Amino acid sequence: QVQLVQSGGGLVQDGGSLRLSCAASGGPYSIDTWGWYRQAPGKQREFVARDDSAGTANYSDSVKGRFAISRDNVRDTVYLQMDRLTSEDTAIYYCNALIRPSPWALLTQYWGQGTQVTVSA
């Protein structure tokens, strides 16, 4: 059974940096698209970044130029490098993946457990 396990959250000061990780396990499988989402208190979950199977990255306007998504296909891991963090980035961050369990199976969406990122002075 496929699982996504996140790490790297925590408390950081305004202007600081943080790196999140999300690793898939429990194959066999192939990973198509990786993504990051976040949910701030009182708000809906929102898109942050996406990296498709061809390595093309997309970002929301609120994080473009500050965040960078990358993937390690050998370790089945995705990363989110977050720089110049502000209080507006405070949220629970979730990784997401579209995974094909076998060549004949449908793509299936999986979510990580979420990790808290808190930005303060």
Side-chain angles (χ1 to χ4, degrees):
Q1 183 174 336
V2 176
Q3 293 184 199
L4 305 183
V5 179
Q6 300 179 221
S7 62
L11 178 66
V12 65
Q13 292 184 331
D14 286 328
S17 298
L18 206 60
R19 190 193 193 201
L20 306 181
S21 299
C22 179
S25 63
Y29 54 75
S30 63
I31 302 175
D32 187 272
T33 299
W34 280 109
W36 288 97
Y37 295 76
R38 67 186 182 185
Q39 186 168 18
K43 296 184 178 181
Q44 298 289 335
R45 185 174 300 185
E46 65 176 353
F47 165 79
V48 175
R50 180 191 304 110
D51 190 306
D52 66 18
S53 60
T56 301
N58 299 101
Y59 301 91
S60 68
D61 290 338
S62 62
V63 307
K64 188 175 297 183
R66 299 188 298 117
F67 290 11
I69 186 173
S70 61
R71 61 192 295 171
D72 185 334
N73 292 327
V74 175
R75 297 177 175 84
D76 290 339
T77 300
V78 67
Y79 305 94
L80 184 67
Q81 178 66 44
M82 304 182 292
D83 297 324
R84 302 193 303 280
L85 287 162
T86 75
S87 61
E88 298 299 316
D89 298 313
T90 295
I92 300 175
Y93 284 71
Y94 299 88
C95 62
N96 168 272
L98 290 175
I99 296 176
R100 194 180 302 277
S102 68
W104 42 264
L106 298 174
L107 283 171
T108 303
Q109 183 170 269
Y110 295 88
W111 290 92
Q113 80 277 18
T115 186
Q116 179 71 47
V117 172
T118 302
V119 184
S120 66

